[in-house]
Amino acid sequence: MMALAHLLPGGSLAGPTSFDLLVVGGGSAGLTAAKFAARFGKSVALIERERLGGDCTWTGCVPSKTLLASAERAHALRTAADFGVAQPATVSVDMAAVKARIGRTIGQIYDADDSPEALRALGIETVSGAATLVDARRVSVSSGGGGTATVYEATKGVVLATGARPRPLDIRGIASVPHLTYEGIFSL
């Protein structure tokens, strides 16, 4: 396996631009593919345009499951008498504390599993920028700001795991009404 490089400011790698596997998309599917390949000793570069972790970490699985865990605790307290457990007169939910817990949980998961540092410890290099598929084995990555793009080569293959976006609703008048998607609901 080749010596791995380190991410430099601006998203370019100092060192090799050829890897066994290039993974485009740093969400749950891309992270899984990159980690799986790295476990088998393959050199891997993981390319992400926005933030590693994707929807699951930032706007989907992690925040929603953390919110549900808080709701389940409140429900358990409110229905404790049904199980023969004395309950307080009232149960209140401190939404600021719930939101803080969601933020802490996201941060813990990101730091442990999704951050460039955690991925580097597994032998995975991260590249920050917008990817364009050049051909079956090459991906061009631009970091924005009008700089030049860097072309990365995959000797074994390219995995495209580019994630999801909310689909605009096809409802007359929706554009004139404030509404939320999964990308914005947890920032309330």
Side-chain angles (χ1 to χ4, degrees), residues 16 27 32 66 70 77 90 105 125 137 167-168:
T32 299
T66 306
S70 294
L77 285 170
T90 62
T105 303
E125 288 305 315
R137 300 270 185 217
R167 181 176 170 207

mmCIF file of all heavy atoms in Angstrom, residues 16 27 32 66 70 77 90 105 125 137 167-168:
data_model
loop_
_atom_site.group_PDB
_atom_site.id
_atom_site.type_symbol
_atom_site.label_atom_id
_atom_site.label_comp_id
_atom_site.label_asym_id
_atom_site.label_seq_id
_atom_site.Cartn_x
_atom_site.Cartn_y
_atom_site.Cartn_z
ATOM 1 N N PRO A 16 0.307 11.551 -3.027
ATOM 2 C CA PRO A 16 -0.277 10.782 -4.125
ATOM 3 C C PRO A 16 -1.682 11.240 -4.501
ATOM 4 O O PRO A 16 -2.442 11.692 -3.664
ATOM 5 C CB PRO A 16 -0.308 9.357 -3.578
ATOM 6 C CG PRO A 16 -0.294 9.506 -2.107
ATOM 7 C CD PRO A 16 0.475 10.762 -1.818
ATOM 8 N N GLY A 27 -21.212 10.586 3.104
ATOM 9 C CA GLY A 27 -22.335 10.256 3.973
ATOM 10 C C GLY A 27 -22.224 8.813 4.434
ATOM 11 O O GLY A 27 -21.168 8.183 4.328
ATOM 12 N N THR A 32 -19.164 3.983 4.780
ATOM 13 C CA THR A 32 -19.153 2.524 4.904
ATOM 14 C C THR A 32 -18.260 1.902 3.837
ATOM 15 O O THR A 32 -17.445 1.024 4.133
ATOM 16 C CB THR A 32 -20.591 1.971 4.801
ATOM 17 O OG1 THR A 32 -21.366 2.523 5.863
ATOM 18 C CG2 THR A 32 -20.603 0.456 4.894
ATOM 19 N N THR A 66 -31.928 10.943 18.549
ATOM 20 C CA THR A 66 -31.650 11.602 19.826
ATOM 21 C C THR A 66 -32.896 12.322 20.335
ATOM 22 O O THR A 66 -33.224 12.250 21.529
ATOM 23 C CB THR A 66 -30.473 12.582 19.665
ATOM 24 O OG1 THR A 66 -29.359 11.878 19.103
ATOM 25 C CG2 THR A 66 -30.055 13.164 21.006
ATOM 26 N N SER A 70 -35.297 11.460 23.849
ATOM 27 C CA SER A 70 -35.804 12.419 24.840
ATOM 28 C C SER A 70 -37.318 12.318 24.966
ATOM 29 O O SER A 70 -37.862 12.328 26.086
ATOM 30 C CB SER A 70 -35.407 13.847 24.456
ATOM 31 O OG SER A 70 -34.016 14.012 24.534
ATOM 32 N N LEU A 77 -42.090 8.957 31.823
ATOM 33 C CA LEU A 77 -42.422 9.639 33.077
ATOM 34 C C LEU A 77 -43.917 9.932 33.160
ATOM 35 O O LEU A 77 -44.534 9.752 34.217
ATOM 36 C CB LEU A 77 -41.625 10.943 33.200
ATOM 37 C CG LEU A 77 -40.156 10.785 33.556
ATOM 38 C CD1 LEU A 77 -39.430 12.123 33.414
ATOM 39 C CD2 LEU A 77 -40.001 10.239 34.962
ATOM 40 N N THR A 90 -46.128 17.044 37.381
ATOM 41 C CA THR A 90 -46.011 17.472 35.991
ATOM 42 C C THR A 90 -44.650 17.059 35.438
ATOM 43 O O THR A 90 -43.680 16.947 36.184
ATOM 44 C CB THR A 90 -46.151 19.006 35.825
ATOM 45 O OG1 THR A 90 -45.102 19.634 36.545
ATOM 46 C CG2 THR A 90 -47.497 19.495 36.336
ATOM 47 N N THR A 105 -24.487 14.965 20.864
ATOM 48 C CA THR A 105 -24.501 13.626 20.282
ATOM 49 C C THR A 105 -23.946 13.651 18.859
ATOM 50 O O THR A 105 -23.119 12.802 18.490
ATOM 51 C CB THR A 105 -25.920 13.037 20.307
ATOM 52 O OG1 THR A 105 -26.392 13.039 21.653
ATOM 53 C CG2 THR A 105 -25.943 11.618 19.765
ATOM 54 N N GLU A 125 -7.883 8.780 3.386
ATOM 55 C CA GLU A 125 -7.608 10.196 3.176
ATOM 56 C C GLU A 125 -8.896 10.903 2.783
ATOM 57 O O GLU A 125 -9.724 10.335 2.064
ATOM 58 C CB GLU A 125 -6.555 10.392 2.089
ATOM 59 C CG GLU A 125 -5.176 9.996 2.557
ATOM 60 C CD GLU A 125 -4.745 10.719 3.823
ATOM 61 O OE1 GLU A 125 -4.927 11.946 3.919
ATOM 62 O OE2 GLU A 125 -4.225 10.043 4.722
ATOM 63 N N ARG A 137 -12.170 5.711 -14.138
ATOM 64 C CA ARG A 137 -11.113 5.599 -13.133
ATOM 65 C C ARG A 137 -10.593 6.923 -12.597
ATOM 66 O O ARG A 137 -9.740 6.931 -11.727
ATOM 67 C CB ARG A 137 -9.925 4.824 -13.717
ATOM 68 C CG ARG A 137 -10.242 3.426 -14.154
ATOM 69 C CD ARG A 137 -10.027 2.478 -13.021
ATOM 70 N NE ARG A 137 -10.214 1.105 -13.499
ATOM 71 C CZ ARG A 137 -10.765 0.177 -12.784
ATOM 72 N NH1 ARG A 137 -11.181 0.440 -11.576
ATOM 73 N NH2 ARG A 137 -10.912 -1.038 -13.257
ATOM 74 N N ARG A 167 -36.664 16.791 -2.040
ATOM 75 C CA ARG A 167 -37.323 17.080 -3.317
ATOM 76 C C ARG A 167 -38.367 18.166 -3.079
ATOM 77 O O ARG A 167 -39.192 18.043 -2.175
ATOM 78 C CB ARG A 167 -37.983 15.819 -3.838
ATOM 79 C CG ARG A 167 -38.655 16.016 -5.148
ATOM 80 C CD ARG A 167 -39.206 14.707 -5.660
ATOM 81 N NE ARG A 167 -40.052 14.979 -6.806
ATOM 82 C CZ ARG A 167 -41.042 14.225 -7.169
ATOM 83 N NH1 ARG A 167 -41.311 13.124 -6.490
ATOM 84 N NH2 ARG A 167 -41.766 14.532 -8.208
ATOM 85 N N PRO A 168 -38.344 19.193 -3.903
ATOM 86 C CA PRO A 168 -39.378 20.231 -3.740
ATOM 87 C C PRO A 168 -40.767 19.608 -3.901
ATOM 88 O O PRO A 168 -40.990 18.785 -4.786
ATOM 89 C CB PRO A 168 -39.078 21.211 -4.876
ATOM 90 C CG PRO A 168 -37.659 20.940 -5.267
ATOM 91 C CD PRO A 168 -37.414 19.494 -4.979
#
